[in-house]
Amino acid sequence: MTEWGIKINEIDLETIGFALTERSLPVLPETEDNTVKLAGSDGVIDFGSTFGPRVINVTLYCFAQDYHVALAQLAAMMSVHGPQIYVEFHDLPAKRYPVVYSGTLSVQATGSRTINLPLKMNDPWPQSLRDTAVNEYGQGLSYGQGYVYSDYAQFFNAAGTIPVRNEGTLPQSPVIKVSGAFTNLTLSDGSQTIVINATSTASDTWEINCEKYTVKKNGVNAYGSSNGVFFALNPGTTTITVGGAGLAVSLAFVFRYKYLY
């Protein structure tokens, strides 16, 4: 694999006959100003700014012997009816960019093998390639593919704490997976506390999705058993305090790091 190249949904475009020749990747997305103009007053009232989508422009050169077959493969990757598109750049390792095809897949001139590929990140933040889920033997990986001890998961048979690292540069809302026995489980990040007002048995599993604001028990909606609190993990380490009665529970925090750039 060269240091300069591109993958789309884990397929290296060099393997289908395309070389990356140019890339426009803004360091930050454009800002969108939220202001209101009042008649008869000078200036505007400022309600702050937010980031808009991040636009990425990619230029490819097709060196495939069968030019039209290669174009058809590229077009299939860009279909709006297909799965979510994730782009990786060889010189920006360990990150992926969730994009949508936005514009026209155009050839620069008649007979040219240079193709412009317009992409847009509606969610403008790059993500880590892997999430923090524990990978164990038998889960589809081979030796050397990431079998590492994960401190994002821990077993509790009494109240205690677990440090959860967010190595990204943006807050991220985790999926909290809970399995085992407890009564009235509490999870506190020091400023907010998630409470599950229920009794769980050894065979029960719970999923608290802090991004989608859902709580499920054994795959069924159990939002009513919670206090409706969800939290985000700021960059750095957050110490989560675990409490409750009759604890014999496994706890795991699953999320991807997100980055400003």
Side-chain angles (χ1 to χ4, degrees), residues 182-188 193-196 240-244 247:
F182 64 79
T183 298
N184 299 337
L185 180 72
T186 61
L187 305 171
S188 175
T193 301
I194 296 172
V195 180
I196 303 297
I240 304 296
T241 301
V242 180
L247 293 178

Side-chain angles (χ1 to χ4, degrees), residues 221-244:
N221 178 29
Y223 186 89
S225 296
S226 76
N227 64 338
V229 172
F230 303 90
F231 48 66
L233 302 169
N234 289 320
T237 299
T238 301
T239 298
I240 304 296
T241 301
V242 180

